[in-house]
Amino acid sequence: MAIRLSSALAEQMFAHARHTADEEVCGLLFGSIDQIVAVQPTRNVAADRVVRFEVDPGALIAALKAARSGGPPLVGCYHSHPNGVSEPSETDRAMARAGEVWVIVAGRRISAWQMADPIPVALDVALIG
């Protein structure tokens, strides 16, 4: 299965990751399992941002409310791996809810996953436009 993502959205995630290259950054993904139509960078509120991320709960609640009011559906999140590993870590697997889409930014690579228990399913990333 593949997920489509515009080059502009990919660059937005790359720029966010470069801004704080020594810590994990994170954000929200909107659209569907087939196509991400928007991303929203958020604060990483984890206690140890070097090896972990936690999306700002206020941003998450606002995104869910917006989706209920007709905005694009929230389908998951993205985060960076400063260590360059583009696969979900054990911590990622423990935090994820089944069915969510997770995008990992590792250097100049983007990988996408549909989270499942116990093994996430890799999604091909098709950059468009």
Side-chain angles (χ1 to χ4, degrees), residues 100-119:
E100 289 179 324
V101 173
W102 280 32
V103 168
I104 297 173
V105 178
R108 286 297 298 172
R109 291 184 320 216
I110 288 183
S111 63
W113 305 84
Q114 185 167 27
M115 302 310 280
D117 186 21
I119 299 172

Side-chain angles (χ1 to χ4, degrees), residues 13 16 25-29 39-41 53 76-80 103 105:
M13 289 185 284
H16 189 197
V25 301
C26 56
L28 301 173
L29 303 171
V39 300
Q40 176 188 337
F53 81 96
C77 62
Y78 74 87
H79 71 285
S80 63
V103 168
V105 178

Side-chain angles (χ1 to χ4, degrees), residues 51-52 81 87-96 102 115 118 120:
V51 294
R52 181 181 172 95
H81 279 180
E87 296 181 2
S89 67
E90 289 301 319
T91 301
D92 293 342
R93 291 175 190 202
M95 290 174 43
W102 280 32
M115 302 310 280

Side-chain angles (χ1 to χ4, degrees), residues 53-75:
F53 81 96
E54 184 178 338
V55 171
D56 179 351
L60 182 57
I61 290 167
L64 291 170
K65 285 182 180 178
R68 280 198 308 267
S69 296
L74 177 64
V75 295

Side-chain angles (χ1 to χ4, degrees), residues 6 11 14 20 42 59-60 66 75-77 84 89 94 103 109 123 125:
S6 75
E11 189 51 46
F14 286 134
T20 312
T42 65
L60 182 57
V75 295
C77 62
S89 67
V103 168
R109 291 184 320 216
L123 303 172
V125 177

